[in-house]
Amino acid sequence: MLIEFDEILHDLELKRAAALTQQERPAVDVQRALREGESFGGAQRGTPQDGPQVLVRDEDGGELPFTAEQAALLTAEALSILAAASGEAEADTAAARQIVRTTTAAVCRRVASVGRSLITTADLSALVEAALIDAEHFELAKALVVARAVPSSTTTGGAESLRLIRRGGEVVGWNTAKIEAAVRKAFLSLQQDPGAAVAVAQRVAQRAASLDSSYIAIETVQDLVQEELVLGGHMRVAERYIVYRAERALLRAQQRSLAGPAADPLPAVPVLEADGRESSWDGEDLRARIAFASVGLELSLDAAAIERELRRAIRPGVPRADLRRLVVMNAKSLVERDSEFAVFAGRILLSYVYEETLRWDVLRDGISGLREAHRR
């Protein structure tokens, strides 16, 4: 199974478009779309059906009566995001308004049939998504999923205190909704019902919280997603997710290649190995140690400045053992600048200790490989 780069780039454009404000995206005239319809009845004026009123609870706990306009706005948002992602300047077309009307009518019928007097905004979004899928508007359903994930900070399964380490070393808060969105997109790319994504994301959050670590690498999270898809019997979706992940990795590598080498790299240094051989040390492992040691810290120097500090007094022909000693000593000297460097220096030392005791390599295995190294 192959995933074209066009699909990956389109998904990235959806994320970009979802992050735009409503004023920055082409809009659909919801009121006009609803006025042109004739099948909403009481829903257009306020409630979806005759009988008990259905309330919609938002994330802050507020409750409002369900109206057709609420469903229409969600549909219009998906249309707006898809138009912006596709580079279209206009979203308010006759076809778009027709999609708003038919989707809204379908959602009104679904709300009337759920047999509940209270639903959440997440429930309503899922109903709109289901209506779009039934109508085979899979790209719009995907756009709605992306929109639901971008502004959300929902956490699940005791993962509230977790911090996620991105590939570039950036640390962000845990967000179960983004995991759910990624899994939903994998289902939708196969035109399958994405309902199982909620349970998969919740299970991943629970397993991540059970790792007894405040920080978790993005690669570890992706491994958990793959495992949960397989354990849930979603083999084709798991395959899709794995291939998509590999394609994204290849795309990142190509982008790094096009970007060229980092500006003004520090020169390589000849070092003596324990057996007397001379090798060249380019500092790549040091940069990986700096990324590892910086996780979650607010340091007063950036990574490039820290590397320069840690390479002080390292001269050509230095023994490998002295190289490590100088790096650790230079790290300790930074404590005088900022108390945060006390933790940083300890982690630099720890990276060498891990390599000596755990059969772990900072370059080969990275932060995400530490858990398995400890397990062994």
Side-chain angles (χ1 to χ4, degrees):
M1 178 188 298
L2 293 178
I3 299 177
E4 298 294 335
F5 281 138
D6 287 347
E7 181 179 348
I8 296 174
L9 294 174
H10 179 63
D11 284 354
L12 293 175
E13 284 300 307
L14 283 177
K15 290 182 180 180
R16 179 195 62 79
L20 297 175
T21 64
Q22 292 181 347
Q23 292 73 26
E24 294 173 316
R25 298 195 304 255
V28 177
D29 190 338
V30 171
Q31 296 302 325
R32 179 181 175 184
L34 293 179
R35 284 197 304 270
E36 292 173 351
E38 299 179 356
S39 58
F40 298 105
Q44 187 171 345
R45 295 187 296 274
T47 59
Q49 77 285 335
D50 296 330
Q53 189 177 70
V54 177
L55 299 177
V56 180
R57 176 178 293 165
D58 61 26
E59 294 180 353
D60 297 325
E63 296 177 1
L64 290 172
F66 167 76
T67 65
E69 184 178 2
Q70 293 169 334
L73 286 171
L74 287 172
T75 309
E77 182 180 21
L79 286 160
S80 172
I81 291 171
L82 185 58
S86 303
E88 299 174 6
E90 179 66 36
D92 189 31
T93 63
R97 293 193 297 274
Q98 178 63 30
I99 291 174
V100 170
R101 288 193 296 275
T102 56
T103 304
T104 300
V107 171
C108 288
R109 291 192 295 270
R110 288 172 182 265
V111 170
S113 66
V114 294
R116 287 163 33 200
S117 59
L118 178 66
I119 61 175
T120 66
T121 52
D123 294 333
L124 179 57
S125 181
L127 290 173
V128 174
E129 181 188 332
L132 289 170
I133 292 170
D134 284 349
E136 298 187 352
H137 298 308
F138 296 102
E139 286 301 310
L140 286 175
K142 185 184 292 187
L144 187 60
V145 168
V146 172
R148 193 158 64 234
V150 168
S152 176
S153 59
T154 305
T155 54
T156 308
E160 291 86 350
S161 61
L162 276 179
R163 306 284 285 170
L164 185 70
I165 307 171
R166 290 180 169 172
R167 289 177 185 82
E170 180 187 1
V171 179
V172 297
W174 179 268
N175 192 334
T176 304
K178 287 190 174 182
I179 298 172
E180 179 188 337
V183 178
R184 279 183 178 274
K185 285 191 290 184
F187 276 95
L188 288 170
S189 65
L190 293 172
Q191 300 187 2
Q192 292 188 13
D193 181 0
V198 176
V200 170
Q202 289 176 342
R203 180 59 183 155
V204 168
Q206 292 166 356
R207 290 183 61 185
S210 71
L211 297 178
D212 295 327
S213 175
S214 298
Y215 298 93
I216 183 168
I218 184 65
E219 292 87 353
T220 300
V221 176
Q222 291 179 327
D223 289 342
L224 292 175
V225 170
Q226 289 174 196
E227 291 174 13
E228 286 303 316
L229 286 170
V230 172
L231 290 172
H234 309 293
M235 302 303 296
R236 290 192 64 216
V237 179
E239 180 185 7
R240 184 75 167 181
Y241 184 86
I242 292 167
V243 173
Y244 186 88
R245 181 180 173 184
E247 293 280 8
R248 285 293 302 273
L250 181 57
L251 179 61
R252 286 192 298 271
Q254 289 181 339
Q255 290 172 336
R256 286 195 298 269
S257 177
L258 292 173
D264 301 324
L266 295 174
V269 177
V271 299
L272 291 177
E273 303 294 346
D275 59 3
R277 291 182 300 105
E278 184 177 273
S279 63
S280 179
W281 179 72
D282 61 6
E284 186 178 1
D285 71 303
L286 179 59
R287 289 185 284 275
R289 294 179 205 280
I290 291 170
F292 164 72
S294 302
V295 168
L297 302 180
E298 296 183 4
L299 302 173
S300 55
L301 299 176
D302 62 21
I306 292 174
E307 182 182 358
R308 288 193 295 270
E309 291 293 328
L310 298 190
R311 289 177 65 138
R312 281 189 300 107
I314 295 177
R315 301 288 182 262
V318 62
R320 176 73 68 173
D322 288 349
L323 173 68
R324 297 172 182 174
R325 179 176 57 82
L326 286 170
V327 168
V328 173
M329 288 180 61
N330 289 337
K332 290 180 179 178
S333 70
L334 292 175
V335 177
E336 298 176 2
R337 294 173 177 254
D338 186 342
S339 60
E340 286 277 273
F341 278 112
V343 177
F344 175 86
R347 290 176 177 173
I348 290 289
L349 174 59
L350 196 58
S351 71
Y352 290 115
V353 173
Y354 281 157
E355 286 184 325
E356 292 176 358
T357 60
L358 298 179
R359 292 179 295 166
W360 170 80
D361 185 275
V362 68
L363 282 177
R364 182 192 65 219
D365 305 311
I367 299 173
S368 62
L370 270 175
R371 176 170 172 261
E372 176 60 20
H374 278 291
R375 188 196 63 78
R376 289 196 309 265

